Amino acid sequence: MKIHEYQAKEILSEYSIPTSKGAVARTPSEVEEIAEQMGGNVVVKAQVHAGGRGAAGGVKLVNTAKEASDFAQQLLGSNLVTHQTSPDGVPVNEVLVEEPIDISKEYYLAIVVDSDARSPIIMASESGGMDIEEVASRSPEKIIRVAIDPIVGLQGYQCRHLAYGLNLPAENIRPMTSLIENLYKVFESKDCSLAEINPLAITTEGQLIALDAKLNLDDDSLFRHPDLSGLRDKEQEDPLEVKAIDAGIAYIKLDGDVGCMVNGAGLAMATMDTIHLANAMPANFLDVGGGASEEQVAQAFKLILSDPNVKRILVNIFGGILRCDVAARGIVEACGSEDHTVPIVVRMLGTNVEEGKEILKSSGLSVTLVDDMKQAAQMIKNSIA
Ligand code: GDP
Ligand code: MN
């Protein structure tokens, strides 16, 4: 789960990481009021669950409260499109108004779970700021990486290695090592998958300050953080994924056009591989779960049908606890009386498979029944016009 910059900054402050003074607003007049109190000179920042706001015009330094509210007027209610969003962008419903900081240099600091290292790693660079992605791809040697053993924890020497590697002015070494320790405390205690400060600035007065903050939280740990689950902003999330979460279905939207419904995460992964082998791209990952009910199958299938990118559907059910007849009834129920023209390829095996197939055959839907994955792949291939 992602949270907003202002929410992340509140958490960082609780862990003694310096951030700018600011307040969040939902209307231009609120922005004007806050900016007025700060003396007019402020930074106005769109609050969206995406980076790249600076380059996309979502961040502005202004000199008067009027300018602040004019900019907020422009942003609030609009969609911000950045290189990290879909072409439709994400809605801006809130802006953060902050006291501006005079920046001397911008650094990059992040902690992320690294699957290669099988541990959290810290990444830091003295070339921080808006071009960090370019730095990462063109001159990766400018990014220092340190893996943290989760049992042993972050060590003092690792913090010093990072701080010296950043070529910081001598007086910033100690503050930086404490800041890194504090960021790791945030990462660990909030069960983050990502904790990123970019830019981590040194001001013209020589102080370290987090000018931006991004915390991604592990969904599977949210039950341990009831205070954090309340920060979910569904309007920033893909509407289909929100529906899926509410229905208890494991669904991830992808870029392709083959909708797929599978029971079991491993089988779902294998099914996506099969789709790739057929030179097609899955529109989603979807695991209805081992013991799904007819209702859950129907909800899952409706999700797929409501995705405008879906041109064909592959259903792969291995009927164990979820019986094939239950899955078939769910599919028929989801299609209802509406005239769905998307071709559906169904591979079913296991408990009550004959009954399941019969239900689909007599449903009047355009279903092709296949017996194995190879055939399923072939059918997907054939359906590419
Ligand atoms: P992002 O583009 O979504 O990552 O948004 P950021 O919060 O990182 O802001 C983008 C850029 O705006 C930063 O890299 C800074 O250069 C600039 N910026 C943000 N806050 C301030 C500030 O208080 N003062 C100054 N001078 N620049 C700022
Ligand atoms: Mn940033």
Side-chain angles (χ1 to χ4, degrees):
M1 180 179 100
K2 293 181 181 174
I3 61 174
H4 286 293
E5 174 193 5
Y6 73 93
Q7 296 165 331
K9 281 181 170 171
E10 272 170 33
I11 296 172
L12 295 192
S13 312
E14 286 166 25
Y15 285 76
S16 311
I17 296 175
T19 57
S20 327
K21 243 172 98 180
V24 72
R26 295 186 72 96
T27 64
S29 61
E30 271 172 41
V31 171
E32 187 157 359
E33 204 175 304
I34 298 164
E36 198 85 64
Q37 281 166 12
M38 291 182 171
N41 244 338
V42 292
V43 188
V44 180
K45 308 179 79 177
Q47 296 301 286
V48 291
H49 284 185
R53 296 164 304 164
V59 176
K60 195 174 180 184
L61 280 125
V62 298
N63 298 313
T64 66
K66 174 78 173 66
E67 268 183 80
S69 78
D70 284 350
F71 181 57
Q73 175 87 47
Q74 225 178 304
L75 278 181
L76 288 163
S78 75
N79 271 23
L80 188 69
V81 181
T82 83
H83 70 270
Q84 291 189 4
T85 69
S86 71
D88 295 334
V90 273
V92 185
N93 297 321
E94 293 168 311
V95 295
L96 178 60
V97 185
E98 284 188 334
E99 278 181 4
I101 299 296
D102 289 328
I103 302 170
S104 157
K105 192 171 161 78
E106 300 191 345
Y107 297 82
Y108 177 87
L109 177 66
I111 309 178
V112 59
V113 176
D114 183 282
S115 46
D116 282 339
R118 297 182 187 175
S119 73
I121 62 163
I122 300 187
M123 293 191 287
S125 177
E126 60 177 312
S127 310
M130 294 200 282
D131 300 325
I132 190 66
E133 274 127 344
E134 183 133 344
V135 173
S137 69
R138 292 219 177 156
S139 23
E141 74 284 354
K142 285 193 179 153
I143 299 176
I144 313 167
R145 289 159 197 268
V146 168
I148 307 162
D149 185 315
I151 310 281
V152 179
L154 177 62
Q155 300 293 299
Y157 78 89
Q158 295 180 306
C159 297
R160 289 190 291 280
H161 172 73
L162 287 159
Y164 283 107
L166 290 173
N167 294 314
L168 293 171
E171 67 270 23
N172 293 120
I173 298 279
R174 268 174 191 278
M176 180 62 99
T177 54
S178 332
L179 192 149
I180 296 170
E181 278 167 10
N182 290 332
L183 189 64
Y184 187 65
K185 279 183 198 153
V186 172
F187 181 86
E188 212 180 15
S189 54
K190 305 296 180 192
D191 291 311
C192 295
S193 52
L194 169 79
E196 181 189 78
I197 303 175
N198 184 38
L200 171 60
I202 291 189
T203 68
T204 45
E205 271 122 46
Q207 304 296 314
L208 277 175
I209 182 163
L211 282 196
D212 188 10
K214 194 180 270 179
L215 295 182
N216 293 354
L217 309 168
D218 185 338
D219 289 334
D220 291 328
S221 77
L222 282 175
F223 74 98
R224 296 207 286 222
H225 307 284
D227 52 325
L228 296 178
S229 1
L231 302 182
R232 164 156 259 134
D233 182 351
K234 288 183 180 173
E235 288 186 54
Q236 297 289 319
E237 298 176 4
D238 184 280
L240 291 181
E241 291 190 3
V242 171
K243 261 194 204 170
I245 290 171
D246 292 344
I249 299 160
Y251 171 92
I252 295 161
K253 177 90 187 77
L254 300 169
D255 296 333
D257 63 8
V258 185
C260 42
M261 183 175 79
V262 188
N263 66 323
L267 190 59
M269 300 292 275
T271 305
M272 290 183 3
D273 284 348
T274 306
I275 293 169
H276 277 283
L277 285 174
N279 288 326
M281 292 290 278
N284 62 274
F285 167 94
L286 194 162
D287 169 17
V288 276
S293 64
E294 185 179 319
E295 183 50 37
Q296 267 172 317
V297 172
Q299 271 180 328
F301 208 75
K302 275 185 197 159
L303 267 179
I304 298 174
L305 289 171
S306 62
D307 179 349
N309 294 340
V310 168
K311 301 280 178 288
R312 45 232 154 105
I313 298 175
L314 174 57
V315 175
N316 194 1
I317 299 292
F318 186 78
I321 301 169
L322 168 62
R323 301 185 332 247
C324 292
D325 59 312
V326 172
R329 280 196 197 93
I331 293 170
V332 175
E333 188 195 317
C335 295
S337 49
E338 280 172 59
D339 210 9
H340 291 289
T341 48
V342 247
I344 308 168
V345 178
V346 178
R347 182 242 188 185
M348 265 183 182
L349 274 181
T351 315
N352 292 0
V353 61
E354 290 313 323
E355 199 182 334
K357 284 181 174 174
E358 208 40 60
I359 292 167
L360 290 172
K361 271 187 216 158
S362 56
S363 67
L365 298 171
S366 77
V367 177
T368 311
L369 291 162
V370 297
D371 288 323
D372 59 33
M373 299 276 270
K374 216 168 168 183
Q375 264 181 304
Q378 198 54 48
M379 285 310 301
I380 291 295
K381 233 179 214 165
N382 294 347
S383 70
I384 304 173

